[in-house]
Amino acid sequence: MNGTAMKGVADRSPEDGAAIWCEAGWYEGSIRESIRLTVDSAGRVASAVPGSRSEPGDLLLSGVVFPAAANAHSHAFHRVLRGRTHTAGDFWSWREQMYSAAGSLTPGLYEQLATAVFTEMLVSGYTSVAEFHYVHHAPDGSAYPEHGMELALARAAVAAGIRLTLLDTCYLSGGFGAGGVGTPLDTRQQRFGDADADAWLERFASLQAAVRKRFAPEQVSVGAALHSVRAVPEAALARIAERLPAGIPLHIHLSEQPQENADCLAATGMTPTGLLHRHGLLGPRLAAVHATHLTDADIALLGAAGATAVFCPTTEADLADGLGRAAELRNAGVALALGSDQHAVVDPWLEMRALEYGERLRTGRRGSFAPADLHVAASDAGAAAQGRTAPGLEPGKACDLMAVRPHSVRTAGSRTDQLAFSATAADVAAVVVGGRLRARNGQHTTLGDPAALLQAAIAAVDSAPAPVHETRLEGTRHL
């Protein structure tokens, strides 16, 4: 590979017969040279022929082309906390600062911020994202008209060109209470909540209809989430298990903190995983986010259910959450996906190798996850957790790709099949979504520099008036 600049057809919609030529690419689990792809009108790979010459009109991708990453867990508004919350405290003190950030958002402000965050994701190599969304209402808990916050996120995704699975999140209580009844939401949590499980289910169905009316499903789809077992009382879990339609992705923060496990055991006599099992909520559609502090029995239950565990290694490190039992989950039959969560960094390559490095730190052994395993976690499993077609170069896959420079200061000398251990988002030279070029050299093809978008959006958040119950933190207006 000569590392020549990318040439050929630029930003264009896929059509039958459209083609992409890859100097090299990750194809059927190994690196192959000179792969020519044709793309159908749905943006999927129609054919792939390694060892092919390019043809006039092809989109040419130099370097090594990989399946794009599928971000299986995101809270877009957390991006404003980067560089401001890292020096001390624990998860629970960090959460107080997160509440302050959430308190400032309006639909317009969130659309601006999410557009910038989704653009940062896209130029870094993510082409789909599961947005775990719970900032539903105004700060006083009153509803915005016509799903204002949710549709703002959808418009942001369309602007950035990233595929969005909007995980509308049920958040009913502030913690465990006596008799299986949760404690009331506090003032900072009012905008997250609904009156009860039935009210959330009704709003969820209404949101599904609103999104179907406005957006193509390959661009924006709606999935479901339970914030956590501490935020959804046991009676509500039972009601949701009874009424939530089959086939809809269902995500939950699970056993992120030991305190959550202890509180759940005290209130219900079960671990969070056991509680989900009691109510029939374990299954192939379930994505357990973090899954850090699990018992052997928890791991066996998740594996038997064919569930997914979504690790967010850079966030879990930043928040001192601990190291999950990744290889044991994998060996039990649990699929492993990856997310950027609070966006302390937005870099699928760092998340990939942090999965393996975390396992090395936990076990004292190398090689639990080979590069092929890491690419599956970053791409296939993340897409499956969203209910989406996996990205890649093989026929039938979504033509969502990222081309990586193999001769940068970070990757020079690397074996191309080990770029998962040397590349970063800074090495992503081009990103293709559905056969369409969306980013090159860190710049979005229509929105330009994501840094400028982020700077403007975060400045707007900083200057927004804080709700009266919020406490301003040192170094920012209210974050």
Side-chain angles (χ1 to χ4, degrees), residues 66-90:
F66 291 89
N71 192 341
H73 189 64
S74 163
H75 301 290
F77 78 90
H78 290 191
R79 175 61 180 82
V80 300
L81 300 175
R82 185 191 294 177
R84 301 176 173 193
T85 63
H86 307 294
T87 55
D90 58 11

Side-chain angles (χ1 to χ4, degrees), residues 252-337:
I252 185 170
H253 295 125
L254 189 73
S255 291
E256 182 178 4
Q257 294 292 321
Q259 182 179 329
E260 176 187 330
N261 288 353
D263 291 347
C264 189
L265 280 166
T268 71
M270 308 197 77
T271 65
T273 301
L275 189 61
L276 296 181
H277 177 63
R278 172 189 283 175
H279 294 290
L281 288 166
L282 297 185
R285 71 171 174 176
L286 184 76
V289 180
H290 303 302
T292 307
H293 301 283
L294 301 177
T295 66
D296 292 344
D298 293 338
I299 292 173
L301 285 172
L302 290 166
T308 297
V310 181
F311 277 41
C312 306
T314 61
T315 291
E316 289 148 8
D318 179 60
L319 298 182
D321 285 347
L323 294 169
R325 296 161 66 182
E328 292 171 60
L329 283 160
R330 185 265 316 273
N331 295 343
V334 178
L336 294 179

Side-chain angles (χ1 to χ4, degrees), residues 19-22 34-36 51-60:
I20 299 172
W21 183 83
C22 307
S34 304
I35 307 172
R36 188 171 188 268
S52 297
R53 293 180 179 274
S54 63
E55 297 183 12
D58 288 356
L59 171 64
L60 306 184

Side-chain angles (χ1 to χ4, degrees), residues 130-158:
E131 180 63 25
F132 199 107
H133 169 66
Y134 51 83
V135 189
H136 303 301
H137 310 303
D140 64 359
S142 60
Y144 288 112
E146 298 183 342
H147 304 287
M149 294 295 272
E150 290 74 26
L151 295 185
L153 286 167
R155 290 190 297 270
V158 171

Side-chain angles (χ1 to χ4, degrees), residues 38-133:
T38 60
V39 186
D40 67 19
S41 58
R44 297 192 182 190
V45 177
S47 66
V49 183
S52 297
R53 293 180 179 274
S54 63
E55 297 183 12
D58 288 356
L59 171 64
L60 306 184
L61 298 180
S62 61
V64 185
V65 179
F66 291 89
N71 192 341
H73 189 64
S74 163
H75 301 290
F77 78 90
H78 290 191
R79 175 61 180 82
V80 300
L81 300 175
R82 185 191 294 177
R84 301 176 173 193
T85 63
H86 307 294
T87 55
D90 58 11
F91 169 85
W92 304 101
S93 60
W94 169 88
R95 190 176 69 155
E96 296 302 309
Q97 299 173 79
M98 179 272 290
Y99 284 154
S100 294
S104 306
L105 300 175
T106 63
L109 192 55
Y110 206 6
E111 183 172 348
Q112 181 184 4
L113 177 60
T115 299
V117 175
F118 292 156
T119 302
E120 181 185 11
M121 285 185 200
L122 192 132
V123 303
S124 301
Y126 292 109
T127 59
S128 68
V129 56
E131 180 63 25
F132 199 107
H133 169 66

